[in-house]
Amino acid sequence: MSAGLAAIGDYVAGHGVAVESHRQADGSGLSRWNLVPADQFVTLLRALRSEEWFDAWHEALPVAGDPDRMVGGTLTSRMRDTAAAGNAYAKTGTLTSVSALSGYVTDGDGRPLVFAILLNNHLDAVKVIEDRIVVALAEFSVGGAGTLPTSVPEPATPPLPADVECSWLKPARC
């Protein structure tokens, strides 16, 4: 395992990630033992765009709102009927009281954006917040006065009851 962690460390350092700013304890993206700031995810995701395999990898990411489970994956029922649907390509991560969404979206002016959202120690369902952020990025337009939109629809599903563990339900609800 130490050789694998060293290889990961060398790879991300070679792509501009400040290895001193995070802790990589295993190969999992979201883990109780891994501590990586959101800005370092953005640094890595931006750098990956120059890799020769980027296009194939990007196309393999879940696509927001795509009803085909093989395409939408964990984002199949998220951000439907918004500017992010079919536009946001991202990876989710979920642990109890931890949620993450990182990836790529094109804004209203056609500019490619990279984002990383990491939410910790929450008691409420936070997927709605993640979705609103990504939809706001997808709708943002400098030509539109440069302000973030407020027209993000409410989620189709109600918040989870406080006594329900996220892993008991389909990922679309967590």
Side-chain angles (χ1 to χ4, degrees), residues 57-131:
W57 178 74
H58 181 268
E59 290 301 314
L61 289 171
V63 180
D66 194 303
D68 181 343
R69 189 73 171 155
M70 295 303 291
V71 177
T74 54
L75 298 178
T76 292
S77 62
R78 295 178 62 179
M79 296 175 265
R80 286 189 176 172
D81 302 317
T82 70
N87 177 7
Y89 291 70
K91 178 71 180 85
T92 61
T94 305
L95 298 170
T96 302
S97 297
V98 178
S99 184
L101 183 64
S102 300
Y104 306 89
V105 67
T106 301
D107 76 2
D109 292 329
R111 294 175 301 203
L113 305 177
V114 179
F115 64 89
I117 305 162
L118 307 173
L119 303 168
N120 294 301
N121 297 322
H122 60 81
L123 299 176
D124 298 322
V126 294
K127 302 295 185 196
V128 173
I129 296 168
E130 293 171 349
D131 292 354

Side-chain angles (χ1 to χ4, degrees), residues 79 82 128 131-137 139 149-155:
M79 296 175 265
T82 70
V128 173
D131 292 354
R132 286 182 176 181
I133 292 169
V134 176
V135 170
L137 292 171
E139 291 181 345
T150 58
S151 62
V152 179
E154 289 297 319

